[in-house]
């Protein structure tokens, strides 16, 4: 995710209580946020993200992700690249393999964006 | 959203603490959840949702939504239909106009799904 995207999402998240449910998003905020949700809008990417996020130790080798899918290594790598571009995961190459980890700042931000302001709960 | 989708999302949300960050999603859960995130993965739909969700009174006439966009009424209606199919909003026709409101159960569920389990916060 670009620095610009982080800035825009940061603005929409405000100090604590963000924008989606509390005020109309402007076009820039909507463009940025839509890219992240689009990255989540695919079942393979959601399964990859859940495998990475739930792994004890916080890191998963791509070699442990691929066998869970009936998809080619390049296809899996493409999905991982989209999750990384959305700011949801990061990666590090060590030796032969690439290791992936969750960037919880982004999922925290999305959770905040989707949380109703205090007092609005039914 | 179909009853089946609600059941699957309900399962993944568990009693309180759901699946995306705590355990690998299975294929059904991922398919269902991806449809909702896909509905959110478009800037026009995000702006529509934020306009509906943030409206005092909780309800917006489609006649008040359309002027905010340089898009045709049928295009706006198509986006609203996708948000409705995803279980994010509901609608009611009264006289000439259709009125939209947020279904907060779904955004609550997504927020929970994206929230880290207690003790995992960094």
């Amino acid at each position: 995710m670009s620095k610009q995207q982080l800035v825009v999402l940061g603005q929409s998240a405000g100090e604590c209580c963000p924008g989606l449910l509390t005020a109309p998003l402007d076009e820039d905020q909507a463009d940025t946020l839509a890219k992240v949700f689009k990255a989540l809008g695919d079942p393979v990417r959601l399964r990859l993200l859940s495998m990475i996020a739930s792994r004890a130790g916080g890191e998963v080798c791509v070699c442990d992700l691929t066998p869970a899918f009936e998809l080619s290594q390049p296809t899996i790598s493409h999905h991982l690249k989209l999750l990384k571009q959305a700011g949801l995961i990061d990666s590090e190459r060590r030796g032969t393999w690439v290791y992936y980890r969750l960037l919880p700042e982004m999922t925290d931000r999305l959770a905040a964006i989707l949380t109703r302001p205090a007092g609005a709960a039914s």
Side-chain angles (χ1 to χ4, degrees), chain A residues 53-68:
Chain A
S54 64
R55 176 63 64 99
E59 205 178 63
V60 188
C61 174
V62 67
C63 58
D64 290 329
L65 293 170
T66 310

Side-chain angles (χ1 to χ4, degrees), chain A residues 55-107:
Chain A
R55 176 63 64 99
E59 205 178 63
V60 188
C61 174
V62 67
C63 58
D64 290 329
L65 293 170
T66 310
F69 299 87
E70 293 182 356
L71 295 167
S72 69
Q73 167 79 52
T75 299
I76 296 293
S77 292
H78 175 70
H79 283 301
L80 289 166
K81 184 180 161 191
L82 294 180
L83 289 172
K84 188 174 170 179
Q85 285 175 342
L88 288 157
I89 59 173
D90 201 0
S91 67
E92 185 184 351
R93 177 176 287 279
R94 291 202 301 275
T96 309
W97 299 111
V98 180
Y99 294 80
Y100 291 90
R101 65 181 178 87
L102 180 72
L103 289 178
E105 298 79 5
M106 182 57 80
T107 48

